[in-house]
Amino acid sequence: MTSPHQIFDATVIGGGFYGAAIAIYLAGQRGLRRVLLLEREPSLLARASYHNQARVHNGYHYPRSFTTAFRSRVNLPQFVRDWPQAITQDFTKLYAIARRNSKVTARQFERFCRDIGATIQRADATLQKLFEPRLIEEVFLVQEYAFNARMLAEQAARELRDTGVEVWFETCAKALHAAADGRIRVSVQRADGTLQAVESTYVFNCTYSGINQLEGDFPGVKTGLKQEITEMALVRMPPPLAELGITVMDGPFFSMMPFPARGLHTLSHVRYTPHAYWMDARGVNPYTRLSAYPQETRFDRMLRDVARYIPSARDMEYVESLFEVKTVLQKNEGDDGRPILWEKHEELPGCYSILGGKIDNIYDVLQKLDTENLPIKQPYNV
């Protein structure tokens, strides 16, 4: 049964961090009076925003993509100011440069960090001794943070309430159609199977891996996307490593980052974290593929390699793995850049598709929105 539709100024599809932050921005800073946020899960930030390294980047991760690195440096201070309760700083962050197969040398990495204005210094002897010197050229002490995804979701929920955004959980957007008066009709399915339609002057498609899965008049994104099924292992670190975050780069690339939402660490590895991949296409639902994939951990292989570089890592305890679909722009596979995807669909005026590779890229999105003139074409019906 289809119920009568409601009219909103804007509908944001996807209640991950990007969708929530954009809804807050539209209602709180752009003055849109009726904003609707649709989320297929029962809570905010339940998928890719949670199933990741929980790293707030400061540029170090991207020595082969200056633009991505520099934007991280610019965005980090504002992210820390805006989301302070979710930020974890009480750990020591190290970046180690491998002697073999690394795409950057220690000297190049140090120069790169200084070029983007990122704090860096050589780690002291106690920290250096954690690493196998035959495999590690240099170890640097840097400034990088982690975020607590649960606390981030709690703050986002408060701000959505405070700005008057209406949130519909367990609601899946199915299709977009051009409607009367220049609005867009969004067909949705509620948790009980009820079909409903809402209309909006603007629609923001922030569904991450599902960005191409809307039907109807939605044209799909023009940018080529790659989908990956990834594994993030959750581990309990041994005492020598418990207060550290460590990244070894840039080739034999792995990271052990604090995961504040669980009081654990994530372990990811460039070779073993990606399990499967395919080029994104409409009608190929990434989440269906994920649910059908045999989610068997590769932790043992990750650990075997990590322990070569950091012997004390052998004593880490495996807890479980988070499997998720990661979406990247095909054009950035070679340089590891993580720019935002921003497409304004001229075929469906008022519709935008937005995808970001890093949580702190949200400010690049908001800056882009600042350049858009978002008048309300037709007053909504009360």
Side-chain angles (χ1 to χ4, degrees):
M1 182 177 70
T2 303
S3 60
H5 64 261
Q6 300 179 51
I7 297 179
F8 294 86
D9 295 336
T11 296
V12 181
I13 307 172
F17 180 71
Y18 271 52
I22 288 170
I24 292 165
Y25 164 86
L26 294 173
Q29 297 187 44
R30 296 304 293 264
L32 275 66
R33 291 177 294 173
R34 293 201 69 194
V35 177
L36 173 65
L37 177 63
L38 304 175
E39 171 51 43
R40 65 188 302 162
E41 300 293 332
S43 60
L44 298 171
L45 280 64
R47 295 298 303 256
S49 297
Y50 182 89
H51 297 160
N52 62 62
Q53 287 182 332
R55 185 197 306 263
V56 184
H57 286 272
N58 201 10
Y60 305 102
H61 219 60
Y62 301 103
R64 290 181 286 133
S65 179
F66 183 89
T67 300
T68 298
F70 183 73
R71 292 307 306 167
S72 293
R73 282 286 302 120
V74 171
N75 290 334
L76 178 138
Q78 186 170 357
F79 190 89
V80 173
R81 287 195 301 270
D82 289 349
W83 306 91
Q85 297 174 14
I87 301 300
T88 295
Q89 304 182 33
D90 59 349
F91 65 97
T92 299
K93 185 60 207 289
L94 304 174
Y95 270 74
I97 309 301
R99 288 191 184 278
R100 304 168 191 164
N101 302 318
S102 179
K103 296 176 182 178
V104 295
T105 66
R107 179 177 292 182
Q108 289 169 336
F109 183 69
E110 191 169 14
R111 183 170 62 244
F112 157 78
C113 291
R114 300 203 188 285
D115 285 346
I116 65 170
T119 300
I120 185 171
Q121 66 184 75
R122 190 174 186 272
D124 63 32
T126 301
L127 294 172
Q128 297 271 352
K129 286 178 181 178
L130 294 170
F131 297 83
E132 170 52 64
R134 292 173 298 176
L135 298 178
I136 295 296
E137 179 187 2
E138 188 60 276
V139 181
F140 295 104
L141 181 66
V142 303
Q143 185 180 49
E144 198 171 62
Y145 306 141
F147 66 87
N148 186 321
R150 288 177 176 168
M151 296 186 71
L152 201 63
E154 290 174 3
Q155 182 176 341
R158 288 195 298 271
E159 295 196 20
L160 288 165
R161 287 194 299 269
D162 291 347
T163 54
V165 174
E166 190 168 337
V167 182
W168 294 0
F169 290 111
E170 298 183 274
T171 302
C172 181
K174 308 296 284 186
L176 305 181
H177 291 93
D181 299 322
R183 291 192 290 263
I184 300 169
R185 181 175 296 114
V186 185
S187 299
V188 304
Q189 185 172 26
R190 306 300 292 265
D192 61 2
T194 301
L195 299 178
Q196 189 171 350
V198 299
E199 289 188 4
S200 299
T201 305
Y202 302 101
V203 170
F204 296 88
N205 174 18
C206 303
T207 52
Y208 192 59
S209 295
I211 199 165
N212 266 329
Q213 301 309 309
L214 294 167
E215 299 178 348
D217 295 332
F218 178 68
V221 300
K222 297 180 176 66
T223 304
L225 302 176
K226 178 182 176 181
Q227 305 283 17
E228 298 178 348
I229 294 177
T230 61
E231 175 189 5
M232 199 66 59
L234 294 181
V235 300
R236 190 168 288 108
M237 303 300 288
L241 306 176
E243 305 301 322
L244 303 177
I246 297 173
T247 297
V248 173
M249 61 189 306
D250 178 25
F253 206 142
F254 63 84
S255 284
M256 300 179 291
M257 282 290 294
F259 192 74
R262 293 282 298 276
L264 299 168
H265 275 62
T266 56
L267 172 62
S268 60
H269 193 291
V270 70
R271 187 178 302 120
Y272 302 119
T273 288
H275 278 237
Y277 73 90
W278 65 95
M279 298 306 129
D280 187 58
R282 300 189 72 182
V284 181
N285 192 309
Y287 302 116
T288 301
R289 283 204 169 187
L290 176 63
S291 63
Y293 184 78
Q295 298 180 9
E296 299 173 356
T297 183
R298 294 177 177 173
F299 169 74
D300 57 341
R301 282 172 275 183
M302 294 186 200
L303 179 59
R304 204 158 41 235
D305 195 43
V306 169
R308 293 170 53 227
Y309 295 86
I310 308 170
S312 60
R314 290 190 182 93
D315 297 326
M316 74 172 67
E317 176 189 347
Y318 174 74
V319 178
E320 65 172 305
S321 289
L322 305 175
F323 284 85
E324 190 52 271
V325 180
K326 176 182 178 181
T327 306
V328 298
L329 278 60
Q330 292 180 25
K331 65 182 180 180
N332 291 109
E333 286 190 86
D335 64 6
D336 293 331
R338 292 294 180 266
I340 60 170
L341 179 152
W342 169 280
E343 290 196 13
K344 182 177 181 178
H345 301 292
E346 301 298 341
E347 309 94 323
L348 194 60
C351 180
Y352 299 78
S353 289
I354 299 167
L355 180 148
K358 302 186 297 84
I359 201 161
D360 45 276
N361 267 356
I362 186 61
Y363 297 107
D364 296 336
V365 173
L366 300 186
Q367 284 183 15
K368 188 73 173 173
L369 278 171
D370 280 338
T371 67
E372 294 291 311
N373 183 23
L374 300 179
I376 303 304
K377 299 174 187 174
Q378 296 290 334
Y380 62 81
N381 295 334
V382 178

